[in-house]
């Protein structure tokens, strides 16, 4: 995939894997080749091993960089009991919390649980935030 930032050109953002947690994530099916964030024409799509969250870019209400986190609360797939926010985490250093106008599916296969936000621990959360802000 190209790194072009043109309006209609998809852009992929990779997850920032902490080597300490990579073996555990690999067992879950989450590896660099199976995890990434794609911002394409009109769509935000996040793949985290077998988990996928997808929504129209028009549904993105905002994004902010966050962290550091507790590894127990971020590594892997987590759903916050407080606000139902979803986390796809590969490191405890930093990430990007994306908020949605309408909650999205992605944490469990039935889609009954909807998430008002999604935190992703990508390599360059600032660049992803900038890209998403261009679409708001």
């Amino acid at each position: 995939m190209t790194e072009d930032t043109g309006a209609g050109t998809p852009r992929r953002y990779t997850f920032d894997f902490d080597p300490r947690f990579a073996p555990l994530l690999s067992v879950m099916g989450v590896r660099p080749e199976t995890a990434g964030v794609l911002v394409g024409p009109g769509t935000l799509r996040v793949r985290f091993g077998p988990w996928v969250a997808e929504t129209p870019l028009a549904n993105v209400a905002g994004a902010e960089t966050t962290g550091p986190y507790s590894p127990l609360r971020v590594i892997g797939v987590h759903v916050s009991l407080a606000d139902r926010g979803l986390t796809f985490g590969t490191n405890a250093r930093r990430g990007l919390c994306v908020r949605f106008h309408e909650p999205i599916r992605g944490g469990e296969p039935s889609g009954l649980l909807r998430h008002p936000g999604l935190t992703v621990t990508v390599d360059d959360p600032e660049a992803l935030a900038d890209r998403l802000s261009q679409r708001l």
Side-chain angles (χ1 to χ4, degrees):
M1 184 169 308
T2 69
E3 295 299 312
D4 180 60
T5 58
T9 304
R11 171 84 193 267
R12 185 174 191 272
Y13 298 85
T14 57
F15 276 83
D16 179 12
F17 282 79
D18 184 319
R20 296 175 296 169
F21 305 114
L24 169 67
L25 291 167
S26 182
V27 168
M28 297 170 49
V30 180
R31 295 177 294 283
E33 63 273 12
T34 65
V37 177
L38 185 68
V39 179
T43 303
L44 170 67
R45 185 175 196 276
V46 182
R47 181 174 177 213
F48 195 71
W51 293 272
V52 175
E54 188 168 358
T55 191
L57 284 174
N59 191 33
V60 175
E64 63 184 87
T65 56
T66 57
Y69 319 103
S70 163
L72 293 176
R73 293 183 178 218
V74 75
I75 301 302
V77 176
H78 292 271
V79 176
S80 167
L81 296 177
D83 68 359
R84 297 181 336 274
L86 180 61
T87 298
F88 292 157
T90 56
N91 75 74
R93 292 181 296 276
R94 64 189 186 135
L96 185 71
C97 178
V98 182
R99 295 178 321 281
F100 305 107
H101 295 292
E102 295 292 326
I104 65 165
R105 299 166 56 160
E108 45 85 27
S110 74
L112 294 175
L113 184 60
R114 303 287 178 133
H115 310 283
L118 172 62
T119 298
V120 291
T121 57
V122 293
D123 284 326
D124 193 347
E126 293 84 3
L128 178 54
D130 287 346
R131 180 71 181 239
L132 293 173
S133 71
Q134 294 170 8
R135 309 298 179 124
L136 300 178

